[in-house]
Amino acid sequence: MLLRFVPRALSGPLVCLAVLCSVLLTGCASERGAATAPGVSTPAWATGMAAVPESRLPAEARRTLALIDQGGPFPYARDGVVFGNFEGRLPRQRRGYYHEYTVRTPGSPDRGPRRIVTGQGGEFYYTDDHYESFRAVLR
């Protein structure tokens, strides 16, 4: 260990400095609040909200996005239904603006809590806690 040759009085402050440097170098944002990946810019509709690059989504969410892109077929009868945004977690829009799609949750006996919600302006949002929070999907 590098601190073996450092006087004991300095070892505590050096450890704190090392921890602080590692936090600063790796970033303070959690994956839930991660903004962008290199080469992916944040669109105006996602400004001010948590975001996740598509590549960082679970594989099941990426498969759902691929199905949305190709227009289906979708595995769940409720895929594509209007999302009402009753929780008000997404920007306010007229009814019918948002649509929701199920993201399979392994081990869940039902549709599970994960969804992709799309907006008519090209927005994609991901929730893994059944609409309690959303992250803008950066594509």
Side-chain angles (χ1 to χ4, degrees), residues 32 89 113-115 126-134:
R32 181 172 294 277
R89 304 245 189 318
R114 304 190 305 180
R115 303 284 187 277
Y126 175 70
T127 179
D128 58 6
D129 55 15
H130 204 259
Y131 320 123
E132 288 297 316
S133 65
F134 285 95

Side-chain angles (χ1 to χ4, degrees), residues 54 57-76 78-80 99-106 111 114-118 124-127 137 139:
E54 179 179 357
L57 288 172
E60 298 85 4
R62 294 191 309 270
R63 280 195 282 280
T64 300
L65 285 169
L67 285 176
I68 293 168
D69 289 343
Q70 64 192 36
F74 299 103
Y76 297 91
R78 302 230 2 112
D79 286 344
H99 292 82
E100 69 173 274
Y101 300 85
T102 305
V103 174
R104 192 174 78 73
T105 303
R111 290 173 64 210
R114 304 190 305 180
R115 303 284 187 277
I116 297 286
V117 174
T118 63
F124 291 87
Y125 301 96
Y126 175 70
T127 179
V137 178
R139 303 185 84 191

